[in-house]
Amino acid sequence: MITVADNGAFCLQGKDYTYAMYVNDSGFLQHAYYGKKIEVADLEYLIGHICSKFAPTKGGLNYDMQFDNMPSECGFYAHGDYREPSVIIERSDGAAMSRLRYVSHKVYGGAPTLAGLPHARKGGDTLAVTLKDDFSDATVILNYTVYDDLNVLVRNAQIVNVGKEEFTLKKAFSFCVDLPDSEFDIMRLCGRWAAERTPVTSPIKYGITRLQSLRGSSSHKINPFAAFLRANCAEESGECYGVQLMYSGSFALTAESSADGSLRIQGGVNDTAFGWTLRAGESFTSPQAALCYSDGGTGKMSRHYADFLRECVIDPRYVYKKRPIVVNNWEATYFDFDNEKLFPIIDEAAKLGIDTFVLDDGWFGKRDSDTSGLGDWTVNEKKLKGGLKTVIDRCKKHGLKFGLWFEPEMISEDSDLYRAHPDWAIGKDGVQPCRGRNQLVLDLTRSDVVDHIFAAVSDVLANNDISYVKWDFNRDLTEMFSRKLDRQGEFAHRYMLGVYSLAERLTTAFPDVFFEGCAGGGGRFDAGMLYYFPQIWTSDDTDAYERAKIQWGTSMCYPVSAMSCHVSACPNHQTGRTVSIDTRGAIASLGATGYELDLSKMTDDEKSAVKAQIGRYGAIAELVLKGDLYRLCDPFDGNWFCVMLVAKDKNQAYVVGERIHAVPCDLIKTIKLAGLDADKTYAIDGTDIVASGRALMTAGIVLPMLGDFGSFTWKLKQIENDK
Ligand code: DGJ
């Protein structure tokens, strides 16, 4: 709900939070409050309270550089606010100072549609506040979308050239919020290939904490997400704020603690070497940011984000639809396959209850290794005699669907495409390009390149019975330069706009094809990609211990249904570790499950285990798609990993635990379940436990003593004899 109070204050109320701001007497939009829900009338004393202490207000604009303390909704540059600005507007003479003041606002039902960018698909209600720069012809429209039934506030900014002279944006962040104090720890999700999204928390200190990617992707190294935790914040208690960008390219999120103790949190498209020119009438739309307040710890924040992403971002055609259970041939064969190697996997898949066979990298062009072929999306008949049709027919014979891997954004120098269009690769003549995985990146800032890829991929999809696409991206961008672009400061963002446009066109043209995102594992796991692809390959690390940690971190701000999780062979290809097939299955069941191994080489016992896993997964698939996640034992902090999923109606739940190392005479470990209905009675499958939700959540359950990487899965079902 959005209320514009009599005194001019804007009061935004989501399900359990309130966000308030107001226009002070001098026309500056000041932040007033963000936190637990309070009534509009209760807020009145805050309006003017903060400004009288700090900011220029009474007495018009006769002020003395006091903006440095003004809690602002959009920081301006070179005019008395020495904190990091949110926008920098550089005119042709180099002047860049600005002073943004309120002009008008409007409130409407729904959410803004951001053409070309991923965005919240529905409102809510939206408040759009227009600020005007006193020193240039720029206006900044700040959009705020709230939902009565969700705890996420969606923000972005649109900068418009309302004059005649062009100017260049040197920075155009999506949001800025100035909180009155800095007494927070900041949690970021960082890591590297095969170890993505480890939660790392540190205190906020004076100065700027900047989380950023300059890689042209949101990256393996740092996710476009941060959480700000109060000292009392734990997994299920205390306060925290989350910020998440709906963006997949180079980004920045900053937290600036100032001398007065206040904290400016902001972020958006990375401003390093950024420059976006706006001619008369043109505008720049920044990506959306999803802000979240939780008074129930990081666990509640994660559930808020999961609800928001499922309800408002992920494609409604697929978000709650049963996901295909795939077998993917990558770790079974790598590049070395032909029909004879694939057919036994397909034949076995059908017997085990798998429903889709996904043919990974290596099916096209001259692709016998990672040194060649990217860009040539025509089948390699030397490997696949009879073309894709033969493989698809084999699948169909067994009632299996067929999926195919693409890496649309890339080009190998050893490819027909490169030989025909060397200038389509990103780079500058005379500068030796860095290669990543022996490949170059296509220049998706160019519409002719995007058109070509669209046509080439469409041709394969239109002429073959393909129901699933895995869209990979195996290297980051380096020499960010387009031979066709006049203004290279626009390159990084224009590249992302090209990716989004290609994804939009392909998912629209092929509505029956299910798209999975991937980026050398989890290098582009973000809300921007989730807008187009309902699930993303979480990591190339499929070791059931390492994966449990990666999935734990990823769940901080993404729903488990967005995580693609496969059982792979042991010894594991990434770690060399051997973990039982049961534990591998248990961890892979906490997401969109699948298999990534040569099924035909499994023992009979393993095959039976897989068959049983697929059967059990059927019974918990709805919980994965729609349930609430509770994290119970942190694998980064102890010898156990344990999480549970609870149905919204609290009639069912699913608990998965993994003990990391066997310890002789180990201490007793009791877990208290969470999220159940205290008054309902639950039976736990596979045990003789029948108990009330209250007992399970207060007295808890003693965990079984298991060996190294041993696991358990419990299905809880409400039984009828409750009150
Ligand atoms: C990286 C992906 O994460 C893998 O699953 C596989 O598809 C390879 N790329 C193929 O090159």
Side-chain angles (χ1 to χ4, degrees), residues 330 360-361 405 437 470 472 474 518 520-521 537 540 596:
W330 178 241
D360 210 280
D361 194 354
W405 180 97
R437 210 193 188 205
K470 176 177 174 186
D472 207 345
N474 277 300
C518 175
W537 180 229
D540 273 346
E596 181 105 9

Side-chain angles (χ1 to χ4, degrees), residues 669-689:
K669 175 80 179 168
T670 304
I671 51 156
K672 294 177 180 173
L673 300 190
L676 301 172
D677 184 332
D679 294 328
K680 286 182 174 167
T681 303
Y682 298 89
I684 304 186
D685 254 16
T687 73
D688 52 7
I689 298 173

